[in-house]
């Protein structure tokens, strides 16, 4: 990520600023739980789940652990405020937000332009986090930032609901929901190195078969398919946004045999990686 001034309240929270100097492009961001950024100047292009977004002054990014986000361009004058949460803290806060419309909006528009009034409100939230980190004890700072993050997300959810209306019935959140979200968080951390369901099931203290079953019930695909989908999504991004060879992409994703990666990609897309890149470049 870009160079940053990092005011770390605890292992669970951090607030500060990012600038464009040294931003590592063409590598997926590692977002442990949640990363919220408010751009102050300059611009940055980020592909999120295969879609490219441009972040400019007044734009806010809301990136969560199960999004595949890759910075592909950042201007030298880029500067943004940020708040980051670890996985468990983000999950606790997300559990309170039951609005389907909110989550539908976040996953459709993870980067969006705020109006002037909302920009000022969000800036105040960031300022509270920075002041608290600098002037309060760790315990107080954690409590204040957690409350402020809950408030910010509740306000965002209400504004989205009021503008777009309620989307369907809000599903109950149970243990299976928590397990699947933890699986998705683990996957975002380890997908470049571990491609087997057994690894994630062991981390979750459940059997691979049970993980596949609850994954199918809750997100519509098995855990194995979700791992493959994540890898293919990243391969597409790297083919689209970089000049890396197939061999180099395979190395980044810890595939010893590039031909095996090609077989997985072709099975999912109907094209070889080279055919996919050529088709994209001719558009």
């Amino acid at each position: 990520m870009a160079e940053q001034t990092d005011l770390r309240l605890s292992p669970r929270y951090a607030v500060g600023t990012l600038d464009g100097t040294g931003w590592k492009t063409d590598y997926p961001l590692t977002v442990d739980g949640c990363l919220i950024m408010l751009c102050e100047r300059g611009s940055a292009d980020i592909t999120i789940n295969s879609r490219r977004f441009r972040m400019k002054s007044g734009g806010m990014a809301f990136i969560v652990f199960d999004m595949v986000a890759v910075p592909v361009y950042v201007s030298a004058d880029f500067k943004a405020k940020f708040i980051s949460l670890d996985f468990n803290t983000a999950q606790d806060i997300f559990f309170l937000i039951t609005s389907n419309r909110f989550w539908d909006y976040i996953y459709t528009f993870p980067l969006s332009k705020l109006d002037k009034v909302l920009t000022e409100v969000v800036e105040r939230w960031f300022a509270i986090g920075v002041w608290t980190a600098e002037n309060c004890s760790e315990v107080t700072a954690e409590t204040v930032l957690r409350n402020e993050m809950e408030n910010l997300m509740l306000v965002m959810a209400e504004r989205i609901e009021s503008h777009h209306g309620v989307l369907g019935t809000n599903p109950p959140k149970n243990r299976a929901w928590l397990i699947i979200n933890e699986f998705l968080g683990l996957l975002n951390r380890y997908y470049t190195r571990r491609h087997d369901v057994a690894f994630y099931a062991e981390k979750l203290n459940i059997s691979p078969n049970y993980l596949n079953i609850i994954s199918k019930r809750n997100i519509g695909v098995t855990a194995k398919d979700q791992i493959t989908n994540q890898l293919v999504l990243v391969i597409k991004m790297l083919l689209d946004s970089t000049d890396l060879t197939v061999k180099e992409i395979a190395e980044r994703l810890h595939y010893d045999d590039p031909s095996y990666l090609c077989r997985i990609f072709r099975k999912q897309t109907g094209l070889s990686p080279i055919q996919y890149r050529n088709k994209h470049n001719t558009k």
Side-chain angles (χ1 to χ4, degrees):
M1 189 176 285
E3 290 187 359
Q4 64 185 53
T5 301
D6 187 346
L7 303 175
R8 185 164 294 278
L9 283 71
S10 72
R12 292 186 286 276
Y13 298 93
V15 297
T17 59
L18 299 166
D19 66 44
T21 306
W23 187 298
K24 195 173 184 180
T25 58
D26 300 330
Y27 280 82
L29 293 175
T30 300
V31 178
D32 190 24
C34 177
L35 174 67
I36 301 175
M37 292 188 290
L38 180 66
C39 183
E40 296 182 313
R41 68 169 188 248
S43 63
D45 287 2
I46 305 175
T47 60
I48 300 177
N49 293 349
S50 289
R51 293 181 298 137
R52 186 165 180 148
F53 298 88
R54 170 154 289 190
M55 190 178 187
K56 294 183 178 180
S57 179
M60 187 171 77
F62 194 108
I63 304 173
V64 298
F65 59 87
D66 59 346
M67 294 177 180
V68 180
V70 183
V72 293
Y73 164 78
V74 59
S75 65
D77 62 341
F78 177 79
K79 184 178 181 181
K81 296 175 181 175
F82 78 91
I83 296 176
S84 67
L85 311 178
D86 79 342
F87 179 79
N88 290 330
T89 303
Q91 284 292 284
D92 288 345
I93 295 175
F94 293 171
F95 195 84
L96 301 175
I97 310 300
T98 59
S99 164
N100 278 344
R101 179 63 75 180
F102 171 76
W103 292 115
D104 182 64
Y105 184 88
I106 290 299
Y107 279 85
T108 305
F109 305 106
L111 272 69
S112 58
K113 176 74 173 178
L114 303 180
D115 60 44
K116 183 178 179 181
V117 173
L118 191 55
T119 298
E120 293 173 354
V121 171
V122 174
E123 284 179 342
R124 284 197 288 272
W125 255 296
F126 276 96
I128 290 170
V130 172
W131 187 90
T132 303
E134 292 176 334
N135 295 280
C136 298
S137 67
E138 181 177 310
V139 173
T140 298
E142 277 197 14
T143 302
V144 170
L145 188 58
R146 179 189 175 87
N147 290 339
E148 291 301 326
M149 287 302 301
E150 288 181 8
N151 293 338
L152 173 61
M153 291 183 65
L154 287 169
V155 167
M156 289 172 61
E158 182 175 284
R159 284 180 62 88
I160 290 169
E161 292 280 8
S162 65
H163 279 79
H164 301 284
V166 177
L167 180 66
T169 303
N170 293 322
K173 294 180 178 178
N174 52 28
R175 174 166 164 72
W177 183 91
L178 293 172
I179 290 174
I180 289 304
N181 276 269
E182 189 169 354
F183 162 60
L184 294 174
L186 289 168
L187 179 59
N188 196 48
R189 260 177 272 171
Y190 295 109
Y191 71 89
T192 60
R193 301 188 298 280
R194 300 305 301 257
H195 313 142
D196 54 308
V197 176
F199 169 81
Y200 298 98
E202 183 178 354
K203 288 278 187 182
L204 297 166
N205 295 313
I206 59 177
S207 72
N209 186 52
Y210 181 61
L211 179 55
N212 276 316
I213 290 171
I214 63 172
S215 179
K216 181 71 173 179
R217 287 176 180 172
N218 284 269
I219 59 177
V221 296
T222 65
K224 179 61 177 175
D225 287 341
Q226 183 63 24
I227 294 168
T228 301
N229 291 343
Q230 178 104 340
L231 288 165
V232 170
L233 193 59
V234 173
I235 294 168
K236 284 181 178 180
M237 286 186 179
L238 294 174
L239 291 169
D240 288 342
S241 60
T242 75
D243 294 323
L244 292 172
T245 66
V246 173
K247 183 176 183 295
E248 289 169 333
I249 291 174
E251 289 173 352
R252 284 197 183 188
L253 297 178
H254 288 78
Y255 280 101
D256 295 330
D257 183 4
S259 65
Y260 182 65
L261 179 145
C262 290
R263 287 197 297 273
I264 292 174
F265 190 84
R266 183 185 287 277
K267 184 176 180 180
Q268 288 289 107
T269 66
L271 300 170
S272 71
I274 297 302
Q275 288 171 331
Y276 176 87
R277 173 174 275 167
N278 290 340
K279 182 177 180 181
H280 178 269
N281 289 342
T282 57
K283 290 183 178 179

